[in-house]
Amino acid sequence: MSAGGLLAVAVSGRGLVDPGEPVILPDDEGFTRGRAAFETMRVYDGRPFRLAQHLARLQGSAERIGLERPDADELEALAAVALEAAAAPEAVLRLYWSPGPPGGAPRAIVLVGPIPGWIDDARARGQRLVSLLHPRRSVPWLLPATKSTSYAVAIAAEAEAKERGADDAVFVDADAIVLEGPVTNIWWREGDVLVTPSLETGILAGETRAALLGLARGAGRIVEEGLYPLERLLRADEVFTSSSVREVMPVVSLDGRQLERGPAAAELQDALRREARR
Ligand SMILES: Cc1ncc(COP(=O)(O)O)c(C=O)c1O
């Protein structure tokens, strides 16, 4: 087993490989420049949730960072091989599409790992957020909605949030417009209305966000998407985040102000799990 606790690894052209084996060349630009596309999703009862949508997003990310388009069928087959070998019905599945060395051929790398143990505890406690300034990525060359492995800034934001005594960050742009978290989308409730920033801000089109939009609207809730200043979030009746691995996480404070926990996060978390296990 690898030091990171991986349960299974599969690579294009090789199939299943030992998780302790090297799988990329030292000059792969995914490693040297953080220029690979990737996807992370949860596996429920052995089935990756919204796999087709994640594969489509991977293809979009690859195209935007100038990589050849990955073959969705090949990735799906590799994922199936890795999931079977992992034999863990509840897991995290990660798909990477890495360009290889300059002028070389791209390759797919599929990782299956355990669900991090801290997540359910964090959900029970609720998350403390701080707002951090971040450029809005709606300008096309800033790669809006692109999931690449250049995650140093996201990790730095989480470290900065912890430095300030919080658990995680929420990004706001120079005009204090609310964007997203380093690895989450952000939501809040104003009375009966759920609110989340719209994709025109250049945020990642979260698959959990898409699932929750459908579930909330399907349950008769009103959901608004738009451009909202930080004060709206600070005045919210309830705040929560969403992501594939963390699912729905209630937020209990923002910039040091206490926030009430509310029913929407718990309802959507239940609805999400029901949908994923359907
Ligand atoms: C910047 C960013 N926003 C939002 C999300 C949530 O997306 P998803 O629900 O597809 O996991 C992620 C996930 O990693 C992310 O990196």
Side-chain angles (χ1 to χ4, degrees), residues 137-154:
R137 295 197 300 166
S138 42
V139 188
W141 70 265
L142 282 173
L143 303 176
T146 303
K147 205 164 156 71
S148 83
T149 51
S150 300
Y151 256 55
V153 169

Side-chain angles (χ1 to χ4, degrees), residues 197-219:
S198 62
L199 300 183
E200 71 183 276
T201 56
I203 59 173
L204 189 75
E207 281 308 326
T208 320
R209 178 186 181 280
L212 295 182
L213 280 173
L215 289 166
R217 287 181 175 143

Side-chain angles (χ1 to χ4, degrees), residues 238-269:
E238 173 182 0
V239 179
F240 53 96
T241 64
S242 70
S243 85
S244 296
V245 177
R246 302 179 187 186
E247 303 171 301
V248 178
M249 279 277 183
V251 173
V252 292
S253 76
L254 173 59
D255 290 341
R257 292 197 208 179
Q258 300 303 307
L259 293 162
E260 291 295 321
R261 293 176 74 123
E267 277 167 26
L268 286 170
Q269 170 67 16

Side-chain angles (χ1 to χ4, degrees), residues 9-17 22-24 74 78 107-110:
V9 176
V11 182
S12 47
R14 289 171 69 184
L16 211 55
V17 300
V23 294
I24 62 163
E74 187 200 352
L78 275 177
R107 72 180 55 183
I109 302 163
V110 172

Side-chain angles (χ1 to χ4, degrees), residues 16 23 29 39 65 85 105 130 141 191 195 205 212 222 229 262:
L16 211 55
V23 294
E29 289 199 359
E39 284 297 319
I65 58 177
V130 287
W141 70 265
V195 182
L212 295 182
I222 300 165

Side-chain angles (χ1 to χ4, degrees), residues 170-181:
V170 56
F171 294 137
V172 297
D173 74 4
D175 299 321
I177 298 295
V178 181
L179 302 174
E180 63 190 328

